[in-house]
Amino acid sequence: MLVESPPEPRAEVASAPPTRRAIRAVGLLLAVLVMVLVAVASIAVGAKELSLGEVWHGLFQDSGTYGDVVVGERLSRTLLGLLAGAALGLSGAVLQALTRNPLADPGLLGINAGASAAVVTAITFFGVTSLSGYVWFAFFGAAAVGALVWFLGGSGGATPVRLALAGTAISAALYGYLQALMILDDAALERMRFWTVGSLSAATDHTITQVLPFLVTGSLLALLLARPLNAMAMGDDTAKALGAHLNRTRALSMLAATVLCGAATAACGPIVFVGLMVPHVVRSFTGPDLRWILPYAAVLSPVLLLGADVLGRIVARPAELQVGIVTAILGGPVFIFLVRRRRTAQL
């Protein structure tokens, strides 16, 4: 993937007009409302369709059939979708700012590949079969690859191009390793087939509590990086003149993206295109200011992820398509459209 520099940030990054800020704030509140509605749909829609009254009854009054379906199955799935979606959106927005490539996603720096390779290793060599076991191996793999990319990208002298090239090379090597193990071990292939497509259906309270501290920490770090990343978008020299610490900001950005994407991948498997599509679309109406891009991405990415999950339950009822398949089907055409639009704009 080519690394391209985004348009130079306009003066609105420093100070947007009051009217524009008000519009953005109202838009963010509307986005939160949409997220709540999609979350309700995620709880209500499934193999057994429930009315809003039955959902309410199951959440607050019933410990029987409705309670088992709503609280025991769908609530954890919905909560994990909200958390993982926000994590993927934030990590995508941070990586697009870090690499100065508006078409970048968490897979660009090999984070998804690191998590996947670690889980395959755990299954093949250590006999791990439970989701709770996958979580820690996947997170370790993502963190190890993030550190390796930072080291190969030049660490103290890291640049967007070096980081992207290092991530692409490591991703290719790890996916080769992953495919080799899965071909040589039929049992590993069978156990990995479900996890590698990306799914929310195996969500449990235990899974959420395991990844929640990482997701909260990564989200706070990403939001705090908005101002220094805004400065870096103007170019290294300008950022230095504004007092930004380039290497520290890049290192913390890598850390935030790795923690967020690693935790989400550990809990759900590798889910593609969410971290690419949502920040890119958000940027089209918020402008280049990351102080708005990051909150919007954190709210709208769960809308996409849960919406895709609900769609997967509807189109294949009484079975379901895993959310990773649905996002890939939706994301492929969108990615082609975005690339073609950028090429047309440059002609």
Side-chain angles (χ1 to χ4, degrees):
M1 184 181 295
L2 295 177
V3 179
E4 304 173 358
S5 297
E8 289 294 322
R10 298 184 295 274
E12 63 179 341
V13 170
S15 178
T19 302
R20 188 177 179 91
R21 288 199 298 268
I23 293 173
R24 288 168 170 172
V26 171
L28 187 59
L29 291 175
L30 292 176
V32 172
L33 177 61
V34 172
M35 182 180 69
V36 171
L37 294 176
V38 173
V40 172
S42 176
I43 296 175
V45 175
K48 179 179 177 60
E49 191 166 352
L50 303 176
S51 67
L52 291 180
E54 290 169 337
V55 170
W56 181 268
H57 193 67
L59 282 173
F60 300 107
Q61 300 176 12
D62 187 15
S63 59
T65 303
Y66 293 150
D68 291 341
V69 172
V70 173
V71 178
E73 299 176 13
R74 298 183 188 173
L75 184 60
S76 296
R77 181 173 185 159
T78 301
L79 289 175
L80 183 59
L82 291 172
L83 292 171
L88 292 172
L90 285 171
S91 63
V94 168
L95 289 176
Q96 287 175 13
L98 176 65
T99 62
R100 299 177 189 170
N101 182 357
L103 298 180
D105 74 339
L108 179 67
L109 298 187
I111 296 172
N112 284 344
S116 300
V119 171
V120 173
T121 300
I123 290 174
T124 304
F125 297 110
F126 301 104
V128 177
T129 58
S130 67
L131 183 63
S132 60
Y134 294 165
V135 166
W136 294 104
F137 277 94
F139 185 78
F140 173 78
V145 168
L148 184 58
V149 168
W150 177 250
F151 174 76
L152 294 179
S155 55
T159 64
V161 174
R162 288 179 180 177
L163 292 173
L165 290 176
T168 301
I170 292 173
S171 293
L174 287 177
Y175 278 123
Y177 166 77
L178 186 153
Q179 294 299 322
L181 284 185
M182 293 176 70
I183 290 173
L184 295 173
D185 188 340
D186 292 338
L189 173 61
E190 184 63 27
R191 291 193 295 269
M192 279 296 300
R193 186 170 56 184
F194 181 80
W195 185 84
T196 52
V197 298
S199 174
L200 298 174
S201 61
T204 65
D205 293 342
H206 183 56
T207 303
I208 293 173
T209 56
Q210 282 186 309
V211 300
L212 184 60
F214 299 107
L215 295 176
V216 172
T217 302
S219 298
L220 291 175
L221 180 57
L223 293 171
L224 290 173
L225 287 169
R227 287 183 180 274
L229 284 173
N230 274 343
M232 287 177 58
M234 302 178 186
D236 289 359
D237 293 338
T238 303
K240 289 179 181 178
L242 293 173
H245 299 276
L246 302 185
N247 291 328
R248 184 176 68 186
T249 300
R250 287 176 179 141
L252 291 175
S253 298
M254 280 289 298
L255 177 62
T258 298
V259 169
L260 288 169
C261 186
T265 303
C268 308
I271 297 176
V272 297
F273 286 119
V274 174
L276 184 154
M277 286 191 292
V278 175
H280 192 89
V281 172
V282 164
R283 193 179 295 106
S284 68
F285 58 84
T286 64
D289 191 347
L290 283 160
R291 292 173 297 177
W292 289 101
I293 291 175
L294 292 174
Y296 266 97
V299 172
L300 292 179
S301 294
V303 172
L304 173 60
L305 188 61
L306 284 179
D309 190 43
V310 171
L311 181 62
R313 296 181 227 172
I314 294 173
V315 297
R317 187 179 287 171
E320 65 177 66
L321 285 177
Q322 303 305 322
V323 66
I325 297 174
V326 179
T327 58
I329 293 172
L330 296 175
V334 172
F335 180 72
I336 293 172
F337 169 76
L338 293 175
V339 171
R340 288 183 61 84
R341 189 178 71 171
R342 285 188 61 80
R343 289 185 62 186
T344 302
Q346 292 171 356
L347 293 178

